[in-house]
């Protein structure tokens, strides 16, 4: 990194992405399906405009950094520092007019997530962390700017846990019986949320988030937030979640251990 003040720079990234996205939200806009006949995977003008704006700013300030983005791929991904961008995580919610989406801005140092931010410009919220601490900023009770540190909540077992996944149908069929076995053991399953689910876990409102078939840009920014709030996040086999794949995040290490056991019972 250079002497540039890091936190204001990341805030500027969030600002320019929000400025690119918000004119499209809850309006009529062009949309394409990237799935090539598979599961519907929309992309909008807002996705591309936001990522392009962030890439330009990164290139101007940190020209030697790499970038991995959902819409425009990877450049200099072997660099010491690599930004990982998902301009709209939760595009299906976005095109449906629901505010359960966010811009993910992650930073890898030597391939390890060292900072992450989730920005929701419609609700004016930011969730961010560095793996040691995590914080939220947003409107206070009377509309003023507020900030608080995030902590996951204690949960002793699956039978007391709230579990979130964006949709069980997004979990590949070979893995779905393992997910179903886990869901059958929790107190409350809830669907939807995308990146918001991980932030609600970090904020102490949810106990488990379980998903599969994620890409690096879906998860890299969220790892330092979950860990900074005291949570645990791994792949289903307990490995490194940085590159994506099948992911399980938990607010309490006891629930994480039980979830891994349930997900791997028949493997």
């Amino acid at each position: 990194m250079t002497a540039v003040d890091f936190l204001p720079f990341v805030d500027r990234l969030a600002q320019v992405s929000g400025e690119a996205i918000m004119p499209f939200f809850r309006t009529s806009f062009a949309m394409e399906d990237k799935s090539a006949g598979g599961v519907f995977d929309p992309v909008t003008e807002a996705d591309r405009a936001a990522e392009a704006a962030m890439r330009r700013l990164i290139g101007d300030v940190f020209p030697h950094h790499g970038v991995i983005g959902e819409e425009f791929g990877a450049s200099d991904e072997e660099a010491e520092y690599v930004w990982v961008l998902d301009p709209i995580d939760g595009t299906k919610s976005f095109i449906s007019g629901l505010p359960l989406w966010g811009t993910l801005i992650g930073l890898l140092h030597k391939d390890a997530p060292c900072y992450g931010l989730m920005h929701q410009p419609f609700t004016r919220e930011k969730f961010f962390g560095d793996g040691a601490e995590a914080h939220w900023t947003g409107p206070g009770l009377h509309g003023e700017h507020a900030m608080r540190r995030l902590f996951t909540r204690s949960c002793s077992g699956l039978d007391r846990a709230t579990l979130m996944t964006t949709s069980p149908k997004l979990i590949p069929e070979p893995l779905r019986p393992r997910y179903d076995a886990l869901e059958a053991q929790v107190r409350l399953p809830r669907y939807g949320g995308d990146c918001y689910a991980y932030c609600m876990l970090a904020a102490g409102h949810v106990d488990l988030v379980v998903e599969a078939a994620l890409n690096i840009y879906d998860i890299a920014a969220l790892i330092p937030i979950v860990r900074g709030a005291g949570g645990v996040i791994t792949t289903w086999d307990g490995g490194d979640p940085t590159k994506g794949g099948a992911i399980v995040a938990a607010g309490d290490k006891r629930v994480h251990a039980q979830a891994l056991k349930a997900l791997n019972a028949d493997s």
Side-chain angles (χ1 to χ4, degrees), residues 34-100:
K34 297 190 293 184
S35 68
V39 176
F40 178 53
D41 185 15
V43 60
T44 72
E45 298 170 81
D47 293 88
R48 295 185 175 122
E51 185 172 321
M54 289 189 287
R55 281 178 175 266
R56 283 194 297 269
L57 185 56
I58 292 168
D60 289 344
V61 179
F62 295 117
H64 301 298
H65 286 195
V67 179
I68 299 172
E70 179 174 13
E71 306 309 331
F72 298 111
S75 61
D76 298 321
E77 59 185 313
E78 303 303 320
E80 181 179 0
Y81 287 97
V82 178
W83 296 88
V84 185
L85 310 174
D86 190 345
I88 302 178
D89 184 81
T91 304
K92 296 183 182 77
S93 289
F94 183 86
I95 66 175
S96 303
L98 301 172
L100 297 177

Side-chain angles (χ1 to χ4, degrees), residues 170-224:
L170 295 178
I171 296 174
E173 287 190 15
L175 298 179
R176 207 171 298 165
R178 294 163 62 181
Y179 167 81
D180 290 340
L182 171 61
E183 184 185 287
Q185 298 182 54
V186 304
R187 179 164 66 180
L188 176 64
R190 299 293 296 169
Y191 303 151
D194 292 279
C195 59
Y196 234 106
Y198 296 88
C199 293
M200 292 300 96
L201 184 143
H205 305 300
V206 173
D207 304 296
L208 275 171
V209 183
V210 178
E211 298 190 287
L214 298 188
N215 293 291
I216 185 172
Y217 46 74
D218 297 313
I219 198 65
L222 296 166
I223 294 169

